[in-house]
Amino acid sequence: MSSKTPRAQTPLTEGLVVASFGRSYRIKLPDGTSLECSTRGKRSDIACGDRVTIQHSGDNSGVVESILPRATLLYRSDAHKQKLIAANVTQVVIVVAAVPSFYDDLVNRCLAACEHGGIAPLIVLNKSDLPQSDAAWEALANHRALGYRVIRLSAKQDIAALTPLLENQTSVLVGQSGMGKSTLVNRLVPGAASRVAETSLALDSGKHTTTGVVLHHINARSDLIDSPGLQVFGLHHISPEDTAHAFIEFRPWLGRCRFRDCTHRMEPGCAIDKACSEGKIAASRLVSYRTLIEEALRAKARRYD
Ligand SMILES: Nc1nc2c(ncn2[C@@H]2O[C@H](COP(=O)(O)OP(=O)(O)OP(=O)(O)O)[C@@H](O)[C@H]2O)c(=O)[nH]1
Ligand SMILES: [Mg+2]
Ligand SMILES: [Zn+2]
């Protein structure tokens, strides 16, 4: 940049957060250039995908002043704080693979976060070139039966099944470490150069390869956000009632339990429990739901200790 930044207050500029690493952000300006930005104080409520206003503070740097209203926000939370993943996404792509093996419970949590946040989920079983892939596909049978979109591909061989589903969307890739999110980004966005773990040693140690959240433009209409591998996905911010609603197959039975405030854990006359024992709700889904509720209630109890 050629012009010198004046010492007096410069006007606020609007920009798009295209990368977030801890509390530092890369923000793309309307003219296509980027600024490295920080926040005031300990503010950490800014997510990749946010539209923000910034104050220039010098060549190539600035400070985030405000966040423009969000259409959506994907985040997780534990007992202590919220962890933002991405803002303004229209689609969450949950990436799983046969190796390393994926946790069904984590998929259920991601789906619940999508339902609660009003964001469309898409499940991608990556590494279809591996022999263990058939069993992983079977493990996703219940998610298919629930009506969720599930596709199968190999980031290393053929991603044609995914390409049209990203068109006109802002998608965020989420999932455990080693599922191949960054490999997908590198295939879909030429020049993205997202770091990929190349040794199985790194995977077994559970080390995360991607450390920040980064937004890439696939084309003028479609963006793709890569995020670091998830080990946990707490949903402490969702009330027990809303959590039950976020498990879509529970909905026909909600309001039919003996007790109006039934939390569907162990209360007598629970319609959800009955539906599960009759095979209408998969036991694995009820277990995920109950684990979420227990976690949230335990955290709440600790807060009031
Ligand atoms: N066989 C096979 N391996 C793949 C495929 N896609 C990715 N991998 C490998 O899986 C490993 C992990 O890939 P990454 O793209 O780094 O995984 P990630 O999900 O981004 O991991 P984090 O950044 O840690 O969350 C690498 O060794 C890739 O080469 C695939 O389709 N088939
Ligand atoms: Mg990665
Ligand atoms: Zn109940």
Side-chain angles (χ1 to χ4, degrees), residues 101-162:
S101 54
F102 71 91
Y103 298 109
D104 185 59
D105 179 59
L106 194 78
V107 175
N108 289 333
R109 287 163 182 255
C110 292
L111 289 170
C114 289
E115 296 295 343
H116 184 71
I119 314 170
L122 165 67
I123 301 172
V124 171
L125 172 60
N126 184 31
K127 311 196 190 184
S128 62
D129 53 294
L130 298 179
Q132 302 91 331
S133 176
D134 285 345
W137 181 250
E138 275 318 301
L140 294 165
N142 184 51
H143 294 108
R144 289 197 297 279
L146 292 174
Y148 286 117
R149 296 177 299 164
V150 188
I151 62 168
R152 184 175 179 177
L153 51 75
S154 166
K156 290 218 161 155
Q157 294 177 349
D158 187 4
I159 51 156
L162 180 58

Side-chain angles (χ1 to χ4, degrees), residues 4-291:
K4 264 195 110 47
T5 313
R7 288 220 169 270
Q9 284 259 307
T10 50
L12 294 180
T13 315
E14 227 177 272
L16 172 69
V17 181
V18 292
S20 107
F21 291 89
R23 286 213 307 277
S24 76
Y25 305 91
R26 188 177 320 126
I27 295 180
K28 199 170 168 193
L29 304 180
D31 67 4
T33 59
S34 295
L35 286 185
E36 300 302 323
C37 292
S38 57
T39 56
R40 295 207 188 276
K42 289 211 160 111
R43 179 171 195 177
S44 61
D45 58 345
I46 298 153
C48 187
D50 260 327
R51 296 209 156 269
V52 294
T53 59
I54 46 181
Q55 183 85 60
H56 286 250
S57 57
D59 284 353
N60 286 323
S61 64
V63 178
V64 178
E65 292 294 348
S66 69
I67 307 167
L68 302 186
R70 292 164 170 147
T72 62
L73 179 64
L74 181 71
Y75 64 108
R76 55 197 183 89
S77 56
D78 61 20
H80 310 288
K81 63 176 197 167
Q82 298 182 346
K83 296 176 181 162
L84 308 190
I85 302 173
N88 298 316
V89 298
T90 57
Q91 175 167 263
V92 175
V93 181
I94 304 166
V95 185
V96 297
V99 182
S101 54
F102 71 91
Y103 298 109
D104 185 59
D105 179 59
L106 194 78
V107 175
N108 289 333
R109 287 163 182 255
C110 292
L111 289 170
C114 289
E115 296 295 343
H116 184 71
I119 314 170
L122 165 67
I123 301 172
V124 171
L125 172 60
N126 184 31
K127 311 196 190 184
S128 62
D129 53 294
L130 298 179
Q132 302 91 331
S133 176
D134 285 345
W137 181 250
E138 275 318 301
L140 294 165
N142 184 51
H143 294 108
R144 289 197 297 279
L146 292 174
Y148 286 117
R149 296 177 299 164
V150 188
I151 62 168
R152 184 175 179 177
L153 51 75
S154 166
K156 290 218 161 155
Q157 294 177 349
D158 187 4
I159 51 156
L162 180 58
T163 315
L165 300 177
L166 302 178
E167 188 62 18
N168 286 318
Q169 304 281 340
T170 299
S171 309
V172 58
L173 301 171
V174 300
Q176 288 159 239
S177 191
M179 299 288 112
K181 298 179 291 298
S182 301
T183 308
L184 280 168
V185 169
N186 289 339
R187 282 298 300 274
L188 290 155
V189 188
S194 223
R195 238 184 97 215
V196 162
E198 272 318 332
T199 67
S200 57
L201 206 69
L203 292 180
D204 289 342
S205 68
K207 246 202 189 143
H208 293 200
T209 308
T210 304
T211 48
V213 188
V214 181
L215 181 146
H216 305 273
H217 299 300
I218 301 177
N219 57 43
R221 303 165 301 282
S222 321
D223 290 338
L224 184 62
I225 299 177
D226 193 9
S227 73
L230 292 166
Q231 265 162 337
V232 290
F233 203 118
L235 294 173
H236 293 242
H237 56 286
I238 309 184
S239 71
E241 221 177 6
D242 286 351
T243 304
H245 200 73
F247 282 71
I248 52 169
E249 73 276 38
F250 290 13
R251 291 177 190 170
W253 282 278
L254 295 177
R256 298 188 180 194
C257 302
R258 185 179 306 162
F259 301 113
R260 270 186 54 173
D261 59 351
C262 185
T263 59
H264 325 301
R265 286 179 298 160
M266 60 198 90
E267 297 93 329
C270 175
I272 300 284
D273 197 62
K274 183 160 175 278
C276 183
S277 60
E278 289 169 354
K280 291 170 184 152
I281 288 176
S284 57
R285 294 272 292 170
L286 188 50
V287 168
S288 280
Y289 162 81
R290 284 176 171 159
T291 314

